[in-house]
Amino acid sequence: MLMKPETEVGSHRHLLTSVRRVLDSDVAHSFFASPATVLAALVTLLFVFMAVFAPVLTSYTPFNPSTLDLMDSFIPPVWDANGDPSHLLGTDDQGRDVLAAIMYGTRISLIVGLCSVLLSLLIGVPLGIVSGYFGGWIDSVVMRIADIQLTIPPILIALMIDGVTRTVLAGNLHETAAIPVLILSIGIASWPQYARVVRSGTLVERNKDYIAAAHMAQSPPYRIMIGHILPNVIGPTLVIATIGVAVAIIIEATLSFLGVGVPPTSPSLGTLIRIGNDYVFSGEWWISLFPCLALVMLVLAVNLIGDWLRDTFNPKLR
Amino acid sequence: MANFIVTRILQSAAVMFFVALICFCLFRYVGDPIVNMVGQETTIEDMEALRQSLGLDKPVLVQFAHFIAGALQGEFGISYRLQRPVSELIAERLPATLELVFVSAIIALTLGISGGLLTGIKRNAWYSRLVLALSLVGVSLPTFVVGILLIYLFAVTLNWLPSFGRGQVVDIGWWSTGLLTVSGWKAIILPAVTLALYQTTLILRIVRAEMLEVRRTDFIKFAWARGLAPRSVYFNHALRNTLIPVITVTGLQIGSLIAFSIITETVFQWPGMGSLFIHAVQFADVPVMAAYLVLVALFFVLINLIVDLLYFAVDPRLRMSAGH
């Protein structure tokens, strides 16, 4: 107990030095040495910025029907002869500004992507630590379920959960609850990979000396798991979580495109592509293609960052 | 080996039982099946009669036994939305989906394995780098975006290929095939390529990674030292030893082709089971959902079983240890 204040001061100092070390580290150097990663980080930041400040960046309110004018519908992008400078990327069938719709759509895509990965982590990480730490029947039950779930593509599981919830929630309820339901479906569909990584990390950490020391100090299991094992196994998990965000955004977009995700009243990028898809044949390509482009750029950027993180923090690949 | 197979079959049966249980609960407890089946003006007496004739007044266990018995014979009741037996609907749609998946699997396997070998053998050539960069783009492109882009390019702009439907089909018994007519082949190109793209990139990456791994091993160095021809080293020594993980991943990927066919079928209005299922989800048509779930689970279980059996075919060590 007497030692405590000292260790706290020590940890502050440790934090400061580690911040300095990060800025001057191999990691920072490898980040700036990889132009693709820097570009990807910039693109991601741009999208996050667009999503957060959408109401400031555009005066259009694309999902408030009373502000829409059907006379403005089907205006092509600004570089087309019939374009209108006030609608940079043109307008859709209801006169919505495509650029503004993409900003608000990115917002919903990002929210669903981040929240569902968070949910997967909240399910997967505790299950992984507990099954790795205790082993025995808990471990076999959890890992058996994870194995079975891993053989089925997450998109199918998300579709099933989404379908069942729709059936249970009658009438208009599932339209208002669409976003939480989506987060729930995608979150439940993708926990096994996090549980697996955390479990294998826990199996390694469990046998180290500091855990033995904690045991001897009579630390209760929950404290060992949260205080000692978790900080040591969470790193690799967060790295795959980055790629997980990209996957979650794709799943969300796909479900919305199929018409079982976010409703058209507050569309995500996938819903926008679905709306625009009806007009591809009649030549109004911009309604669908720009949201497609935004989605692909966002996902590609997040994937590149994830790949870089994985390569940098996985010593095996170096 | 026989022991292993029996265990595997028992496990598969357990998974199928579990899936059937979920489907039964879905059917029995999500909404009242009777209310979903009849029209608005049906009297309560008629509803009771229907309930009795369908056996829905019996104990739950008996009902579950009925459900299993029906499922084993391919009977899943009547679609709420279309008012037709689910088995009939599935039988109509099954050939379209299976043909699509079959053609995509061939594309994904051919391109994936040959691309993986090429990039694994000539790892520093410019075309290997190009293929790898493209494969990252391929993983980032959602299936439906690929479909829309292909439609825009080949159907709308160039007008070379049809963008929807199966073209002309020929009936062989109950199986209607589009693979015997020119218009059928034209119609399957775009959806099959769309469906295959993601799988191709994954197979390509795993084959490449395995090739790079196996090239470092001593027996490959020894094969080079013996002065064997490159073809012999790569194909007889290296490729064979990459097969186990490749088969695992490929098997799983072919399974997910079925799942991704839902998306492709929606984009290309392909009249298969996927589009049937997505409509069932939109309209809460539980019997169709349940039947699709059971079928897809069956497909997955069968593929996993075949993959396990293939291990014995490619890995002599497994045969040896199982024999003793």
Side-chain angles (χ1 to χ4, degrees):
Chain A
M1 271 301 136
L2 269 176
M3 294 286 286
K4 207 172 177 198
E6 236 178 77
T7 50
E8 239 167 45
V9 171
S11 76
H12 277 297
R13 202 168 292 153
H14 180 72
L15 196 74
L16 271 176
T17 48
S18 60
V19 167
R20 209 169 296 147
R21 211 182 297 153
V22 163
L23 284 177
D24 193 36
S25 65
D26 293 350
V27 174
H29 284 296
S30 99
F31 176 76
F32 291 111
S34 156
T37 315
V38 176
L39 187 68
L42 286 178
V43 170
T44 314
L45 277 179
L46 178 77
F47 272 102
V48 172
F49 181 77
M50 245 170 54
V52 173
F53 295 104
V56 186
L57 292 172
T58 171
S59 54
Y60 296 107
T61 45
F63 306 113
N64 182 352
S66 61
T67 62
L68 299 177
D69 186 352
L70 278 183
M71 294 301 285
D72 290 340
S73 59
F74 297 124
I75 297 176
V78 68
W79 53 87
D80 190 282
N82 299 322
D84 178 346
S86 58
H87 298 287
L88 279 180
L89 299 182
T91 59
D92 71 358
D93 57 318
Q94 297 185 43
R96 284 189 284 231
D97 183 74
V98 171
L99 182 61
I102 289 177
M103 286 182 185
Y104 282 96
T106 307
R107 188 182 248 201
I108 291 178
S109 294
L110 279 177
I111 291 176
V112 175
L114 289 174
C115 291
S116 50
V117 168
L118 208 63
L119 181 65
S120 300
L121 285 173
L122 281 178
I123 304 173
V125 172
L127 282 178
I129 290 193
V130 167
S131 36
Y133 184 78
F134 289 112
W137 67 269
I138 302 181
D139 187 37
S140 15
V141 169
V142 171
M143 284 303 125
R144 194 57 51 227
I145 297 175
D147 280 347
I148 292 176
Q149 216 189 302
L150 275 173
T151 59
I152 308 170
I155 200 152
L156 193 59
I157 297 175
L159 201 56
M160 295 292 172
I161 300 173
D162 190 72
V164 174
T165 346
R166 273 169 168 270
T167 323
V168 178
L169 299 174
N172 287 331
L173 199 56
H174 73 67
E175 202 149 288
T176 43
I179 290 178
V181 166
L182 264 182
I183 292 172
L184 194 75
S185 332
I186 303 174
I188 295 178
S190 352
W191 68 269
Q193 47 171 335
Y194 303 110
R196 276 195 156 185
V197 173
V198 169
R199 174 179 171 271
S200 62
T202 308
L203 286 178
V204 174
E205 296 298 321
R206 185 176 72 167
N207 297 324
K208 288 193 177 165
D209 286 345
Y210 72 95
I211 298 296
H215 272 303
M216 275 186 276
Q218 303 267 317
S219 271
Y222 77 89
R223 202 143 158 207
I224 295 180
M225 283 189 274
I226 297 172
H228 298 295
I229 295 181
L230 182 66
N232 286 303
V233 298
I234 201 71
T237 321
L238 293 181
V239 173
I240 25 169
T242 319
I243 298 177
V245 172
V247 175
I249 291 177
I250 289 190
I251 297 181
E252 182 278 322
T254 307
L255 293 186
S256 297
F257 175 77
L258 293 176
V260 293
V262 186
T265 42
S266 58
S268 69
L269 290 174
T271 325
L272 291 175
I273 297 168
R274 174 188 173 79
I275 297 171
N277 194 29
D278 296 340
Y279 302 100
V280 169
F281 293 101
S282 49
E284 284 93 12
W285 51 270
W286 60 90
I287 306 175
S288 177
L289 234 52
F290 287 126
C292 275
L293 205 63
L295 178 70
V296 171
M297 275 168 66
L298 177 62
V299 169
L300 189 60
V302 176
N303 262 337
L304 280 172
I305 297 177
D307 268 9
W308 172 80
L309 280 174
R310 197 185 50 197
D311 294 350
T312 312
F313 289 99
N314 189 345
K316 252 195 202 165
L317 294 171
R318 246 188 269 171
Chain B
M1 185 170 166
N3 210 341
F4 175 81
I5 295 174
V6 170
T7 330
R8 278 295 156 161
I9 291 177
L10 283 180
Q11 274 180 4
S12 312
V15 171
M16 286 310 296
F17 179 80
F18 187 65
V19 172
L21 187 67
I22 294 180
C23 289
F24 172 72
C25 293
L26 203 67
F27 176 68
R28 188 62 195 80
Y29 296 107
V30 176
D32 185 342
I34 297 292
V35 175
N36 283 318
M37 270 180 228
V38 298
Q40 295 244 312
E41 59 277 3
T42 318
T43 59
I44 296 185
E45 288 77 36
D46 284 350
M47 281 166 70
E48 274 316 305
L50 185 60
R51 198 180 295 273
Q52 269 172 21
S53 75
L54 289 176
L56 289 177
D57 54 341
K58 300 214 173 72
V60 173
L61 275 179
V62 176
Q63 285 185 34
F64 185 52
H66 265 284
F67 180 84
I68 297 270
L72 286 177
Q73 294 164 21
E75 287 304 326
F76 290 92
I78 310 236
S79 158
Y80 296 162
R81 184 173 66 100
L82 299 164
Q83 299 296 335
R84 290 176 53 199
V86 175
S87 50
E88 238 178 80
L89 291 169
I90 299 260
E92 269 174 30
R93 304 287 196 120
L94 190 67
T97 297
L98 286 187
E99 282 182 359
L100 179 62
V101 168
F102 176 72
V103 174
S104 316
I106 304 256
I107 296 176
L109 280 177
T110 335
L111 291 185
I113 293 183
S114 50
L117 281 175
L118 185 76
T119 49
I121 292 172
K122 306 267 182 211
R123 65 178 296 192
N124 289 320
W126 62 269
Y127 46 81
S128 300
R129 290 173 184 278
L130 182 73
V131 168
L132 267 189
L134 284 180
S135 80
L136 186 65
V137 178
V139 174
S140 301
L141 278 175
T143 315
F144 67 97
V145 171
V146 176
I148 294 175
L149 293 179
L150 288 181
I151 287 183
Y152 186 70
L153 191 63
F154 289 103
V156 179
T157 312
L158 295 171
N159 212 356
W160 287 353
L161 297 165
S163 64
F164 62 90
R166 287 182 78 190
Q168 215 172 352
V169 292
V170 180
D171 288 323
I172 305 172
W174 60 275
W175 185 282
S176 73
T177 175
L179 298 182
L180 292 175
T181 60
V182 177
S183 74
W185 273 104
K186 271 186 163 176
I188 209 171
I189 293 176
L190 287 186
V193 168
T194 307
L195 187 53
L197 189 71
Y198 184 76
Q199 269 59 32
T200 309
T201 54
L202 280 185
I203 294 175
L204 188 150
R205 286 178 150 227
I206 185 95
V207 172
R208 172 179 176 274
E210 286 300 322
M211 278 303 275
L212 291 182
E213 188 92 0
V214 87
R215 277 176 69 173
R216 280 189 232 137
T217 55
D218 288 342
F219 68 88
I220 295 294
K221 287 181 191 151
F222 182 57
W224 285 120
R226 278 157 72 200
L228 295 178
R231 202 184 39 169
S232 168
V233 176
Y234 288 131
F235 291 96
N236 293 342
H237 295 77
L239 181 62
R240 278 190 185 190
N241 284 287
T242 65
L243 280 180
I244 285 247
V246 170
I247 287 176
T248 315
V249 171
T250 313
L252 288 178
Q253 287 315 314
I254 289 178
S256 47
L257 278 177
I258 288 274
F260 283 100
S261 73
I262 299 174
I263 304 159
T264 318
E265 287 179 11
T266 311
V267 178
F268 291 93
Q269 296 166 44
W270 190 261
M273 291 196 304
S275 52
L276 183 72
F277 173 70
I278 208 72
H279 285 126
V281 171
Q282 280 165 352
F283 291 92
D285 191 347
V286 178
V288 175
M289 278 166 70
Y292 183 83
L293 198 66
V294 169
L295 256 182
V296 169
L298 184 68
F299 203 83
F300 273 98
V301 162
L302 281 182
I303 285 180
N304 277 327
L305 206 61
I306 294 172
V307 164
D308 284 339
L309 293 181
L310 273 180
Y311 288 166
F312 285 102
V314 294
D315 195 340
R317 283 168 301 188
L318 281 177
R319 272 185 306 232
M320 292 294 285
S321 65
H324 286 296

